[in-house]
Amino acid sequence: MTVNDLIKTEQFVEVSLPDGEREINGVYIGDLLSWVMGNAQADNAWITIMSNINVVAVASLIDVSCVILAEGVSLDDEVKAAAQNKGINVVSTTASAYETAVMLSKILL
């Protein structure tokens, strides 16, 4: 499944989509950035409620396919521009992190 496929579902909304054809191969949930850096894998969809500039840096370092902002979290314009400039796909959902993981498990399997 690509990030473009993900946003075609009603539960996810595009925030920054510079590379929508990026494949999603797994999911990681976490908000402690140092933990995410050590445990998330390239091409994962990363579910978080964090919205600061460091999320973009970690997403770039790990090379995740997308960041999914759960619980209606949004990005300010500066962070959104940084995500776009670094090629980081970001989508959002109003669902909780748990509900998002459950939705993804049904979509990805």
Side-chain angles (χ1 to χ4, degrees):
M1 160 178 272
T2 68
V3 180
N4 281 334
D5 295 331
L6 182 66
I7 63 168
K8 288 178 185 173
T9 67
E10 294 180 11
Q11 298 87 357
F12 299 94
V13 176
E14 173 184 337
V15 176
S16 168
L17 203 62
D19 187 10
E21 288 304 308
R22 185 79 188 266
E23 288 287 330
I24 298 172
N25 294 314
V27 177
Y28 192 81
I29 304 170
D31 298 317
L32 183 59
L33 298 179
S34 60
W35 195 265
V36 174
M37 285 189 310
N39 294 286
Q41 297 177 6
D43 299 321
N44 280 173
W46 171 24
I47 302 170
T48 185
I49 59 167
M50 299 287 292
S51 63
N52 63 44
I53 194 71
N54 294 328
V55 169
V56 173
V58 170
S60 178
L61 178 68
I62 299 166
D63 196 26
V64 297
S65 58
C66 66
V67 175
I68 300 175
L69 302 172
E71 300 187 25
V73 169
S74 62
L75 296 181
D76 66 31
D77 290 337
E78 179 182 330
V79 178
K80 189 185 297 185
Q84 188 72 30
N85 290 336
K86 289 197 176 272
I88 305 299
N89 295 313
V90 181
V91 300
S92 67
T93 181
T94 56
S96 70
Y98 170 77
E99 293 166 330
T100 302
V102 169
M103 283 188 284
L104 287 173
S105 73
K106 291 176 182 176
I107 295 169
L108 294 174
L109 295 179

